[in-house]
Each structure stands twice: as structure tokens, then as C-alpha cells.
């Protein structure tokens, strides 16, 4: 059983839940606003920071990776419990906000997937020996 990294995950979840409840109180909503997403962001940032500082053991990294893989099904299960009919009864703004969030998320997928990729080599970088010694490939 993978238990490494659970403490880090739990701390991030508690911090996200606290911040989500705080945002709900500030906005006048009796609900947690984005607590799970905030927890996920905190986890990503903390893990990246600890990896750069080499303060996260390999076992802990594997444990965090395991729980990160479990995270998406958990978020989907939590989202399925939302009151969809209540949101639809709330008016067109809720539907518009949901559709806009989905469209923006889809639009950001190609941009986010390109972050960190190496750019392909250009012809000028592949020339060895300069332009004078290049053979004609035809």
C-alpha cells in the first residue's frame, strides 16, 4: 500500500478546504468555493518546490504521483454530487458560466500541453561545419 506522500496531500487538502470555505464566507455563499482545485494547485506548487530543493524522497514522489492519479476520479465523483438542477433553476447565468468554463478549459489544453516541450531544431542549428561545407541533399 502506498502511503508515502499522504501527509503532504492531506495538508494541501486541508489548506485548500480552509481557503475554499474562506472564499465562500467572503462571497456570502454557504459553500466551499474551489477548495479542491485550490488544494490541487497548492499540491502541485509544493511538490515542484520540494523537488527543486531535493527535499522529497523518491518514495514520497511515487506516493504523491499515485494519489495524484487517484485525484481525477475523486474530483469527478465529487462533481457528480453537485446540485445540477439547482444550478439550472438559478438562471441562465449558471449555465453560461459552466459552458464558458468548459470552452476556456478546452482552449487552454493545447497551450498548456506545449509548456515545457523542446522546440524542434531549425535548419540553421542542424548545420555542422557552417554553410560552406553543407552538402546538397538532393
Amino acid at each position: 500500500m502506498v502511503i508515502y506522500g499522504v501527509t503532504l496531500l492531506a495538508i494541501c487538502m486541508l489548506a485548500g478546504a480552509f481557503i475554499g470555505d474562506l472564499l465562500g464566507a467572503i462571497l456570502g455563499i454557504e459553500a466551499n468555493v474551489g477548495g479542491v482545485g485550490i488544494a490541487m494547485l497548492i499540491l502541485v506548487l509544493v511538490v515542484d518546490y520540494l523537488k527543486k530543493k531535493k527535499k522529497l524522497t523518491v518514495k514520497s514522489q511515487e506516493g504523491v504521483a499515485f494519489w495524484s492519479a487517484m485525484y481525477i476520479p475523486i474530483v469527478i465523483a465529487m462533481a457528480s454530487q453537485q446540485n445540477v438542477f439547482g444550478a439550472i433553476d438559478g438562471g441562465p447565468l449558471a449555465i453560461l458560466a459552466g459552458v464558458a468554463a468548459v470552452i476556456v478549459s478546452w482552449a487552454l489544453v493545447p497551450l498548456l500541453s506545449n509548456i515545457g516541450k523542446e522546440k524542434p531544431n531549425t535548419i540553421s542549428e542542424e548545420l555542422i561545419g557552417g554553410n560552406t561545407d553543407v552538402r546538397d541533399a538532393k
Side-chain angles (χ1 to χ4, degrees), residues 3-104:
I3 60 169
Y4 297 99
V6 174
T7 302
L8 182 62
L9 182 71
I11 290 170
C12 292
M13 186 63 209
L14 290 174
F18 175 75
I19 294 171
D21 286 340
L22 189 64
L23 278 174
I26 290 171
L27 296 173
I29 303 169
E30 293 182 21
N32 186 307
V33 179
V36 175
I38 293 168
M40 188 172 74
L41 287 175
I42 293 171
L43 180 64
V44 168
L45 294 174
V46 168
V47 167
D48 187 52
Y49 175 78
L50 292 175
K51 280 183 182 178
K52 286 180 181 174
K53 297 289 182 184
K54 297 184 179 181
K55 301 210 176 209
L56 197 62
T57 64
V58 174
K59 287 285 188 188
S60 294
Q61 289 179 25
E62 291 173 354
V64 170
F66 171 77
W67 289 109
S68 296
M70 294 294 295
Y71 203 76
I72 293 173
I74 291 170
V75 168
I76 291 172
M78 290 174 69
S80 68
Q81 295 179 351
Q82 299 296 316
N83 188 356
V84 176
F85 292 117
I88 292 173
D89 288 341
L93 183 60
I95 296 170
L96 182 65
V99 170
V102 170
I103 290 171
V104 169

Side-chain angles (χ1 to χ4, degrees), residues 108-119:
L108 288 175
V109 168
L111 295 174
L112 294 175
S113 66
N114 286 332
I115 293 175
K117 285 186 179 177
E118 293 183 19
K119 293 181 181 177

